[in-house]
Amino acid sequence: MRKLFIQFYLLLIGCFLVAVILVGVVYKQAVDKVGERYLSDLLRTTLSLIETELRGVPQELWQEKLSQDDHRFTFHVKLERESAYDLDDASRAALARGEIVMLENNYLFLQKIENSDYVLVAGPLRYLFFLHQLKWFDYALLALIGLSLAFPVLLWMRPHWRDLMTLEQTATRLAHGHFSARARLPESSGVRRVGQAFNRMADSIAELLASKKALTNAVAHELRTPLARLRYRLELLDDADAPAHQAMARDLDEIDRLIEELLLHAKLDRPEAPLTPSTFDAASWLDDRIAGQMSLAPTLSWMRQPLEPGSAVITADHHLLTRVLDNLLSNARRYTNTLVRVSLRLEKGQHVLIVDDDGPGIPQEDRERVFSPFVRLDSSRHRSTGGHGLGLAIVERIARAHRGQVRIDTSPEGGARFIFTWPEGLLLHSVTRGNKQRLDAPGTDD
C-alpha cells in the first residue's frame, strides 16, 4: 500500500502545484502591476512635493528641513548621497532620468534631486516588508495544504487497498493449491467487479483441474481391466519363454508402472495431500534404499555421508519420503558417470536431503521446468534412459505436501545436485485430520 499511496499522493500534489502555480502567476502579474503603479504614483507625488520644498532651501539645511517635515509622512524620509548606494548602471540611468528606483532587498525607494548628487530615500516601507513576509506565508500555507491532502487520500485509498490485499491473498492461496479459495468483497467495494471476475476465473480453473484429475483417474483405472486380461491371455500362451513373450510382459509392466505414477501424481496434486507422518531411523533407511539401487548398478560408486548429530531420526511420511529418495537415486543412477553421493543433515530447523551425481547436469534455464509432468530435456535425458517423465514431478508434489521444497543446483562433482528440504518435527495434524488414507496402493483412489 505504501508504494501505491506515495504514487497517488505525488500525482495529486503535482497536479495541485501546477494549478496553484498557474493561478499564482496570473494573480501575481495582475496584483504586482496594480500595486507597483499605485505605490509608484504615491511616492512620486510625495517625493516631488519634498523636492519642491527643498528648492528654496540651502543645500546644507536640507537635512534639517526634512527632519522638521518628517512627521507629515507615514514613512521615514532622509537625504543621502547617491554614492552611498551600490547601484547598477540601469538604476543610475533611471535616477538620472528622474525616475524612482526601488531597492527590494532594503525596502527603500530612491529619487534623485535635480542638479545635485543627493537622492531622497523613502523607507524602509512596511508595505514591502509585508509583501516579503507574505511570500513565505504563502509557501507555508501551500505546504500545509499539500500535507493535509494526504489524509483524504489515505481515507479514500484504505478500503481499496484492503480489498486489493484480499485479492492478493486469495491469489496466493490459489497459487499454493487451495482451489476452493474465493475473494469475499463487500457490496460497497470499488473493486467488487474485479473480485467477481477473479472468482469466475478461479471457478473455471477449479473445474478444469477437477476435469483433468477425473480424466486421469478414469483413464488409469479403466486401463487396468484390459491390462489384466492381456496378462492373463499372455500367460496362457504355450511359448512363455520366447523373446516376444518376455518383451510383451516387460511392456505390460511398464504400463502398470506408468498407471501407478499417474494415480500417485493425481493424488498428490491436491491442496491437502493425505499424509501419514511417522518417526524412523535415518541411517538404516538410507542404507536400505541405496542398497536397492546398488543392486541395479553395481559398477557405480555409491557413497553416503555420515549423519550429523540431530539428523539420526527424521519425521515424515515414510512411504512418500521413500518414493522421493528412490526417484532421486534412480534419476542419478541413469545419468551419472561413476559416482552417486547421498547426504542428510539438519540446517536451521530443516531436514536437508541431498543427492549428487557426476553426470551432465541440468542447465540453469531448465531447472524449474524438469519438475513439470512429462517434461524431458535434451538427448542425454530421453525415454531410452528409462522412466516416464513423472518422477521429478512426483518429488515436487511430495515436497509441497510436506511443507518443504525441492530444487536443483550444480554438484561439486560437476553433475546435478537435488536438494529436498522439509521442516524438522513435521506436524501434520491439520493436514491428516479426517483423512488418513495411505498412498502406497495405486488403486485406492476409487
Side-chain angles (χ1 to χ4, degrees), residues 242-259:
H245 185 284
Q246 295 176 356
M248 286 188 289
R250 287 195 299 271
D251 289 340
L252 290 176
D253 290 339
E254 184 176 353
I255 295 175
D256 273 337
R257 288 193 296 270
L258 174 59
I259 293 174

Side-chain angles (χ1 to χ4, degrees), residues 85-126:
Y85 295 92
D86 185 15
L87 303 175
D88 56 24
D89 295 339
S91 298
R92 295 188 183 278
L95 286 176
R97 293 192 300 267
E99 298 178 5
I100 296 177
V101 175
M102 180 173 63
L103 304 180
E104 293 188 6
N105 294 335
N106 299 324
Y107 316 119
L108 300 175
F109 283 86
L110 307 180
Q111 185 176 32
K112 187 174 183 179
I113 299 179
E114 188 176 0
N115 299 323
S116 73
D117 58 349
Y118 285 89
V119 292
L120 286 171
V121 182
L125 299 183
R126 293 185 176 272

Side-chain angles (χ1 to χ4, degrees), residues 357-400:
D357 64 63
D358 62 350
I362 299 177
Q364 180 73 37
E365 61 273 13
D366 293 325
R367 290 178 180 178
E368 292 292 334
R369 196 164 61 90
V370 295
F371 292 111
S372 299
F374 303 109
V375 169
R376 297 181 178 278
L377 302 182
D378 53 25
S379 57
S380 67
R381 292 178 180 262
H382 53 71
R383 185 173 294 276
S384 63
T385 58
H388 306 96
L390 284 173
L392 294 182
I394 290 175
V395 169
E396 193 274 336
R397 295 296 191 275
I398 296 175
R400 186 186 302 175

Side-chain angles (χ1 to χ4, degrees), residues 101-297:
V101 175
M102 180 173 63
L103 304 180
E104 293 188 6
N105 294 335
N106 299 324
Y107 316 119
L108 300 175
F109 283 86
L110 307 180
Q111 185 176 32
K112 187 174 183 179
I113 299 179
E114 188 176 0
N115 299 323
S116 73
D117 58 349
Y118 285 89
V119 292
L120 286 171
V121 182
L125 299 183
R126 293 185 176 272
Y127 171 77
L128 293 178
F129 180 77
F130 171 74
L131 288 181
H132 182 75
Q133 294 298 319
L134 185 62
K135 183 184 299 184
W136 288 107
F137 176 78
D138 290 341
Y139 292 153
L141 183 61
L142 288 176
L144 180 62
I145 294 175
L147 291 176
S148 66
L149 289 176
F151 185 68
V153 170
L154 181 62
L155 289 181
W156 177 84
M157 186 172 291
R158 183 171 179 79
H160 294 79
W161 168 75
R162 183 185 61 241
D163 296 338
L164 290 175
M165 286 297 297
T166 300
L167 287 174
E168 180 184 358
Q169 293 168 1
T170 306
T172 302
R173 294 187 63 197
L174 283 172
H176 285 84
H178 298 272
F179 300 113
S180 61
R182 296 294 182 271
R184 310 297 180 187
L185 301 179
E187 295 286 344
S188 59
S189 173
V191 294
R192 180 173 175 80
R193 294 183 62 182
V194 177
Q196 292 174 340
F198 179 89
N199 289 338
R200 288 194 295 269
M201 178 194 69
D203 291 338
S204 299
I205 292 175
E207 292 176 3
L208 181 62
L209 291 176
S211 175
K212 185 199 76 171
K213 292 178 184 178
L215 178 63
T216 302
N217 290 333
V219 170
H221 285 295
E222 291 300 325
L223 282 175
R224 287 188 176 278
T225 300
L227 283 175
R229 289 199 297 264
L230 285 174
R231 283 187 182 280
Y232 176 72
R233 291 170 181 172
L234 191 61
E235 293 298 328
L236 293 178
L237 295 178
D238 294 335
D239 195 4
D241 295 331
H245 185 284
Q246 295 176 356
M248 286 188 289
R250 287 195 299 271
D251 289 340
L252 290 176
D253 290 339
E254 184 176 353
I255 295 175
D256 273 337
R257 288 193 296 270
L258 174 59
I259 293 174
E260 180 182 350
E261 290 193 346
L262 282 172
L263 290 174
L264 179 57
H265 184 271
K267 289 181 179 182
L268 290 170
D269 196 15
R270 300 174 181 174
E272 293 185 353
L275 299 179
T276 304
S278 61
T279 301
F280 51 94
D281 180 69
S284 60
W285 172 70
L286 289 172
D287 292 338
D288 180 61
R289 306 324 302 172
I290 293 175
Q293 295 292 328
M294 189 182 301
S295 64
L296 299 175

